[in-house]
Amino acid sequence: QVQLKESGPGLVQPSQTLSLTCTVSGFSLTSYHVHWVRQPPGKGLEWMGVMWSDGDTSYNSALKSRLSISRDTSKSQVFLKMSSLQTEDTATYYCARDRAEIPTFDYWGQGVMVTVSS
Amino acid sequence: DVVLTQTPPTLSATIGQSVSISCRSSQSLLDSDGDTYLNWLLQRPGQSPQLLIYSVSNLESGVPNRFSGSGSETDFTLKISGVEAEDLGVYYCMQATHAPLTFGSGTKLEIK
């Protein structure tokens, strides 16, 4: 069955770089797109960026200067790196599968909570 | 960026009551390919969001048919015909027609 699972550090210091991994199963990264979405505590959802099935990427312009998304198809993993973290980057980070032919998020990971604090 | 305005922000309903949530877009969500990429998600307390409706009115597999979506261009509605206890949570509309993808601010459904 389709699964996505985020992993990474729960605590990051201000100004440091966040590295997260989304490990997927039940589908191929070369057939589906994978997005990153984040949610600050008690707030709404923010789209961060996407790893397209062809290996290309797109980013939210508000985060583009700090964000990088990559993948390892052999390991079925998509990576997120975001630099210069600040307290306002404290959030739950989700990866989600995009159905591709109809852009929508049909499967989501459980999310990983990241706190930015010294 | 496309702004999606959801109303009401909070909704209180009794079991069996029918309710509607509105999502208004700052731009038409009709894509050049003729489709309209407006989706509805539900985030239950402590859980990840889940897809309910895609492309305005298409019910995602496994989602009860008491959920329905309608609308066009800039005005969209999610209707729940007969609320059940498991429907509590925050409902989000989301558009994928224009980059960047954006979400509404959410509507919290409470059960009386």
Side-chain angles (χ1 to χ4, degrees), chain B residues 25-67:
Chain B
S25 174
S26 60
Q27 301 178 35
S28 173
L29 299 184
L30 178 62
D31 193 77
S32 56
D33 66 5
D35 210 336
T36 300
Y37 299 117
L38 187 284
N39 309 316
W40 290 95
L41 309 167
L42 165 61
Q43 186 173 31
R44 295 188 172 100
Q47 296 188 17
S48 306
Q50 67 169 101
L51 179 64
L52 297 176
I53 302 279
Y54 62 93
S55 298
V56 180
S57 60
N58 295 277
L59 195 65
E60 174 67 357
S61 177
V63 174
N65 61 11
R66 62 180 179 274
F67 291 94

Side-chain angles (χ1 to χ4, degrees), chain A residues 52-78:
Chain A
W52 301 110
S53 59
D54 65 2
D56 202 358
T57 53
S58 296
Y59 302 107
N60 187 325
S61 58
L63 302 171
K64 188 173 184 177
S65 63
R66 301 195 288 139
L67 188 60
S68 174
I69 297 174
S70 59
R71 72 181 182 181
D72 183 334
T73 56
S74 68
K75 294 183 178 179
S76 294
Q77 293 179 323
V78 179

